[in-house]
Amino acid sequence: MMKNQVFNFYEAIGEDGQKNSEIFQLYFPEKYLFWELDYETKADFIAENPGPNRALLIAMHLGVTFASERRPILLSARHSNMVGAFAKEKLGPLKQEQLFLALLNTQLDVIGWEVVFVGTLTEVAASPREIFQRALLANAYAIIIAHNHPSGNLRPSVQDKQFTKRLYCLGQDLNLPLLDAFIVAKDGYWSMQENGQLLGGEIDEATDFV
C-alpha cells in the first residue's frame, strides 16, 4: 500500500516513480522504519533527490497528522437527560423549527451536533437520506435527532412520529441505529427513548403520547 502511494507521489510530480520508489524501499524496507526515522537516515534519503524526497517526507508526516485528528467530544450520550438538557439549551430559545443531528462514536460520546433542516414554525421538511449521508461520512456509530417546537408543546405530532419511525427502521437496516429522538421547547424536552417509544421501533403513529 505504502509502496504504491510513494510510486504515485513521484509520478504526480513528474519524477520517475519506479526508480524513486525503489530507492525509498532501500531506505525503508519495513513501514515502521519510516516512523523511526533518525536524522542521519533522513539526511541521506533527502540527498538522493533533495526536492522531491524532502516533499515526500513532509507529505507523509502531514498525512499522519491529519489521520490522528479526531472530532472533539461535546458530551456523553450515555444518559438521555444529559442530551435532553444540551438540546434544550441549544434549541429551546429558537423561534423557528429546526432539526439537529447528533453524531455518536462507539463510546456513545457526541462528536457532532449539526443542523440539518430549518423549517417553518409548524413543520420541518426533513430528508432521511441526508441525515444518514452525514452520519456515514462522519463514520458515526449511532445517531440521535432533536428538533424544537417553538409553540412550547412537547407532545410529538403524527408527523414527528412517522418521521422518527422511518429513521429508526432505516437505521436498523444500515446498522447505524437511531438511539433517541428529542422534542425540545424553552421549558423542557421530550425523549422518545425515555418514554419507551423506540423499543423495537414500536412508534404509534396515530395517537398522541400520554
Side-chain angles (χ1 to χ4, degrees):
M1 183 68 171
M2 182 181 283
K3 184 177 180 180
N4 290 338
Q5 291 174 331
V6 170
F7 176 88
N8 291 335
F9 171 84
Y10 284 113
E11 289 288 311
I13 62 173
E15 296 285 324
D16 186 330
Q18 184 64 37
K19 175 185 174 182
N20 285 286
S21 60
E22 288 175 358
I23 292 173
F24 180 89
Q25 192 69 19
L26 288 174
Y27 280 87
F28 312 107
E30 301 293 341
K31 290 181 182 179
Y32 66 83
L33 292 174
F34 178 83
W35 309 121
E36 297 175 2
L37 182 63
D38 58 62
Y39 179 82
E40 184 176 345
T41 303
K42 176 182 177 181
D44 289 344
F45 174 68
I46 290 175
E48 294 278 357
N49 194 354
N53 286 2
R54 187 186 301 276
L56 174 64
L57 295 181
I58 293 172
M60 294 186 76
H61 280 288
L62 278 174
V64 172
T65 301
F66 283 127
S68 64
E69 290 294 318
R70 296 290 184 269
R71 283 173 170 257
I73 294 173
L74 302 179
L75 74 155
S76 171
R78 293 179 183 85
H79 304 288
S80 60
N81 63 323
M82 295 180 65
V83 182
F86 181 82
K88 176 187 167 187
E89 178 185 349
K90 298 293 185 182
L91 279 72
L94 299 179
K95 303 296 184 184
Q96 190 174 25
E97 190 165 337
Q98 299 187 26
L99 174 67
F100 279 74
L101 171 66
L103 304 167
L104 278 59
N105 63 17
T106 55
Q107 303 302 310
L108 300 185
D109 297 315
V110 177
I111 56 172
W113 179 261
E114 304 176 359
V115 59
V116 285
F117 295 101
V118 178
T120 67
L121 292 177
T122 57
E123 64 181 16
V124 175
S127 165
R129 178 179 178 181
E130 181 168 347
I131 288 172
F132 283 107
Q133 279 181 337
R134 291 194 185 202
L136 290 168
L137 285 172
N139 197 30
Y141 168 75
I143 61 173
I144 291 172
I145 58 169
H147 76 281
N148 62 314
H149 281 182
S151 66
N153 181 10
L154 290 174
R155 299 177 72 131
S157 67
V158 171
Q159 290 78 16
D160 292 337
K161 290 178 277 185
Q162 290 173 339
F163 182 69
T164 302
K165 182 173 183 177
R166 188 178 177 196
L167 283 184
Y168 182 93
C169 293
L170 286 171
Q172 296 301 305
D173 292 340
L174 294 170
N175 198 29
L176 207 171
L178 173 69
L179 299 186
D180 207 340
F182 288 85
I183 295 173
V184 178
K186 186 163 54 177
D187 298 322
Y189 72 86
W190 176 279
S191 160
M192 289 191 177
Q193 190 277 331
E194 284 182 10
N195 287 280
Q197 300 300 326
L198 286 182
L199 299 176
E202 296 175 358
I203 302 170
D204 185 351
E205 300 175 12
T207 60
D208 285 333
F209 294 122
V210 293

